[in-house]
Amino acid sequence: SQQGEEDPQALSIQEGENATMNCSYKTSINNLQWYRQNSGRGLVHLILIRSNEREKHSGRLRVTLDTSKKSSSLLITASRAADTASYFCATVLHGSGNTGKLIFGQGTTLQVKP
Amino acid sequence: DVKVTQSSRYLVKRTGEKVFLECVQDMDHENMFWYRQDPGLGLRLIYFSYDVKMKEKGDIPEGYSVSREKKERFSLILESASTNQTSMYLCASSFPRHAIYEQYFGPGTRLTVT
């Protein structure tokens, strides 16, 4: 079963604008991760935020986590055409042991127009 | 760098054939996963393994089986391929580092069953 829901499903912006994607989840988590997928390829890990963190930065990426609302957002600043991809959130459920099982959201497709 | 390789990028098989999809990782990861990805449905977990010869069903195991005889190799088997198994198949691996479980993905195999 898919725990994460992402919003919007698709986003189209101009180069240089900021892109914000949201992810909601249903149960307690250990951490939340964001992945990127270029068309027809595998997923690549972007950034992780632990359940006791509220905000994290990595280059042009900013992730926030609100555990009271069970939601996270990914902000890409000063977007580039090369950022065009699908973005997925994934959660590690609290108490999932050492299986490493992730629950993925449906994904947001981002198009950045040059 | 971690490398996860999949035996084929594209595969075309006939209905009823037995299909083997191979995945190999070179970083001594304990955990390995098989997903299928379909438009509008996101990533769905088929099977995963947290140790050699150990396997657990994911969300959609019907019609599939797996084999993990060596730590670096995780095989997905379609016992009798059907057209509804036409999909993108993604393999991933991870290891339990401080319960983070970042997953590393292969490039994917696009399987068409005719």
Side-chain angles (χ1 to χ4, degrees), chain A residues 35-103:
Chain A
Y35 288 79
R36 166 195 169 125
Q37 183 182 33
N38 285 39
S39 179
R41 308 295 297 183
L43 280 71
V44 176
H45 183 266
L46 290 177
I47 192 168
L48 174 148
I49 187 164
R50 296 179 187 269
S51 58
N52 61 354
E53 297 175 314
R54 292 297 166 257
E55 187 171 314
K56 204 159 182 185
H57 297 253
S58 177
R60 294 185 295 112
L61 304 180
R62 173 180 167 244
V63 172
T64 61
L65 180 64
D66 187 335
T67 52
S68 66
K69 294 181 179 178
K70 292 186 169 59
S71 67
S72 173
S73 67
L74 171 68
L75 168 68
I76 304 173
T77 59
S79 63
R80 305 166 181 167
D83 294 328
T84 294
S86 292
Y87 293 82
F88 295 86
C89 68
T91 52
V92 177
L93 299 183
H94 183 70
S96 60
N98 64 351
T99 63
K101 185 177 172 183
L102 293 180
I103 309 297

Side-chain angles (χ1 to χ4, degrees), chain A residues 96-101, chain B residues 25 28-34 45 47-58 66-68 70-74 92-96 101:
Chain A
S96 60
N98 64 351
T99 63
K101 185 177 172 183
Chain B
Q25 50 94 3
D28 203 36
H29 285 176
E30 283 85 354
N31 304 326
M32 296 189 75
F33 307 83
W34 275 106
L45 182 64
Y47 267 97
F48 65 102
S49 167
Y50 50 89
D51 201 352
V52 176
K53 297 190 185 293
M54 304 300 289
K55 59 187 179 185
E56 283 197 24
K57 294 179 180 178
V66 290
S67 172
R68 194 166 180 202
K70 293 184 178 181
K71 193 173 186 179
E72 67 271 19
R73 188 180 297 269
F74 192 35
S93 70
S94 74
F95 64 101
Y101 304 119

Side-chain angles (χ1 to χ4, degrees), chain B residues 22-100:
Chain B
E22 303 283 338
C23 175
V24 178
Q25 50 94 3
D26 66 357
M27 281 300 290
D28 203 36
H29 285 176
E30 283 85 354
N31 304 326
M32 296 189 75
F33 307 83
W34 275 106
Y35 299 90
R36 66 176 282 176
Q37 184 178 25
D38 301 286
L41 297 177
L43 274 76
R44 294 181 290 169
L45 182 64
I46 304 171
Y47 267 97
F48 65 102
S49 167
Y50 50 89
D51 201 352
V52 176
K53 297 190 185 293
M54 304 300 289
K55 59 187 179 185
E56 283 197 24
K57 294 179 180 178
D59 300 320
I60 50 164
E62 297 78 19
Y64 303 94
S65 62
V66 290
S67 172
R68 194 166 180 202
E69 296 297 319
K70 293 184 178 181
K71 193 173 186 179
E72 67 271 19
R73 188 180 297 269
F74 192 35
S75 302
L76 180 69
I77 303 155
L78 286 66
E79 296 289 343
S80 178
S82 63
T83 54
N84 63 12
Q85 292 178 311
T86 291
S87 185
M88 170 71 111
Y89 290 87
L90 293 166
C91 173
S93 70
S94 74
F95 64 101
R97 175 174 63 94
H98 307 304
I100 290 178

Side-chain angles (χ1 to χ4, degrees), chain B residues 3-38:
Chain B
K3 193 165 185 181
V4 180
T5 57
Q6 295 183 228
S7 49
S8 305
R9 290 282 285 126
Y10 299 94
L11 207 53
V12 179
K13 294 292 182 181
R14 293 193 179 277
T15 301
E17 279 193 81
K18 190 168 186 176
V19 181
F20 293 87
L21 303 182
E22 303 283 338
C23 175
V24 178
Q25 50 94 3
D26 66 357
M27 281 300 290
D28 203 36
H29 285 176
E30 283 85 354
N31 304 326
M32 296 189 75
F33 307 83
W34 275 106
Y35 299 90
R36 66 176 282 176
Q37 184 178 25
D38 301 286

